[in-house]
């Protein structure tokens, strides 16, 4: 009885050691791969939002400086083809009002409800911020090296979130598939490596008797 128990324990130990080592390797490798992919996708999203915001700022700088809401909204409307841009606001630094920003113009992607302008948080968005499935970014508008206002852009992070979800699902699927293959391979290796050990163990036990 102890002979059978010894064989089973050796086989179980061998198999679980292999499974544990492979699991640790796969978890670390998958975690690193997902992290790198998420970071790359996030950087690409942020780069896209900052580029669009800078472009809007450059194109609308003279109209914002002049406090012209109609022309500013026309420039905003030209970005309606960009599906990921949900909202845009322009704020004018009215020279008649020191240290104060005046809401000038806005753009809302068709089908999107208007959002309330929040000039008080513009300075907190000097870098893109990702939260609640959106990205927010605000950029000071300069004309001839003179500060004339702010542009605020809110973009959708749906594509980014879908990419992250697909990446995680793909890595989990691959990890479970590799673990299954490892288990099947480990069972085969048992027969190859454990049999000599069992024979040696049986010989030692017989000799000791």
């Amino acid at each position: 009885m102890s002979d059978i128990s010894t064989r089973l324990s050796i086989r179980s130990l061998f198999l679980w050691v292999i499974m544990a080592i492979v699991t640790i390797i796969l978890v670390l490798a998958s975690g690193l791969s997902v992290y790198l992919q998420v970071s790359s996708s996030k950087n690409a999203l942020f780069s896209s939002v900052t580029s669009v915001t800078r472009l809007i700022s450059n194109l609308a700088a003279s109209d914002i400086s002049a406090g012209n809401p109609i022309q500013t909204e026309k420039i905003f409307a030209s970005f309606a083809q960009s599906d990921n841009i949900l909202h845009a606001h322009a704020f004018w630094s009215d020279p008649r009002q020191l240290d104060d920003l005046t809401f000038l113009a806005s753009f809302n992607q068709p089908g999107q409800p208007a959002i309330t302008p929040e000039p008080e948080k513009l300075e907190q968005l000097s870098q893109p911020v990702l939260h609640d499935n959106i990205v927010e970014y605000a950029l000071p508008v300069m004309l001839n090296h003179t500060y004339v206002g702010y542009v605020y852009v809110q973009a959708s992070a749906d594509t980014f979130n879908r990419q992250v979800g697909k990446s995680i699902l793909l890595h989990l699927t691959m990890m479970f598939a590799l673990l299954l293959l490892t288990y099947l391979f480990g069972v085969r290796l048992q027969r190859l490596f454990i049999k000599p050990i069992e024979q040696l163990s049986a010989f030692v036990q017989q000799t000791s008797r």
Side-chain angles (χ1 to χ4, degrees), residues 25-193:
I25 293 173
L26 286 176
V27 168
L28 292 176
S30 296
L32 179 60
S33 178
V34 169
Y35 172 77
L36 292 175
Q37 287 186 15
V38 169
S39 296
S40 177
S41 297
K42 186 177 179 181
N43 290 336
L45 174 62
F46 284 179
S47 177
S48 173
V49 172
T50 54
S51 296
V52 170
T53 306
R54 289 193 181 103
L55 182 58
I56 293 174
S57 173
N58 292 334
L59 292 175
S62 59
D63 294 314
I64 293 175
S65 175
N68 189 333
I70 296 175
Q71 290 300 319
T72 303
E73 287 187 353
K74 286 182 178 180
I75 292 172
F76 281 170
S78 66
F79 289 86
Q81 299 297 327
S82 180
D83 294 336
N84 67 320
I85 302 300
L86 302 178
H87 306 280
H89 292 158
F91 298 89
W92 176 35
S93 179
D94 190 342
R96 297 167 298 182
Q97 300 180 20
L98 296 177
D99 299 324
D100 196 14
L101 285 170
T102 302
F103 174 71
L104 183 65
S106 68
F107 163 77
N108 302 296
Q109 190 68 238
Q112 292 290 329
I115 60 173
T116 304
E118 298 178 278
E120 66 279 359
K121 74 173 186 179
L122 295 175
E123 292 184 358
Q124 302 169 17
L125 300 173
S126 58
Q127 297 294 327
V129 176
L130 174 64
H131 65 92
D132 297 334
N133 208 34
I134 60 171
V135 178
E136 294 183 295
Y137 180 56
L139 184 70
V141 179
M142 308 296 291
L143 181 65
N144 298 326
H145 306 290
T146 302
Y147 166 73
V148 296
Y150 252 97
V151 167
Y152 162 87
V153 168
Q154 184 184 109
S156 170
D158 281 342
T159 302
F160 167 75
N161 289 333
R162 284 196 297 270
Q163 289 176 343
V164 171
K166 288 179 180 178
S167 176
I168 292 174
L169 182 60
L170 176 63
H171 280 82
L172 285 176
T173 302
M174 291 177 60
M175 188 169 69
F176 284 122
L178 288 172
L179 284 174
L180 178 60
L181 291 174
T182 300
Y183 177 80
L184 297 175
F185 184 64
V187 171
R188 281 179 168 269
L189 283 179
Q190 279 183 334
R191 300 170 187 172
L192 182 63
F193 292 105

Side-chain angles (χ1 to χ4, degrees), residues 7-18:
R7 290 180 182 179
L8 289 175
S9 63
I10 292 174
R11 291 185 179 186
S12 297
L13 179 62
F14 177 82
L15 183 59
W16 287 112
V17 166
I18 290 177

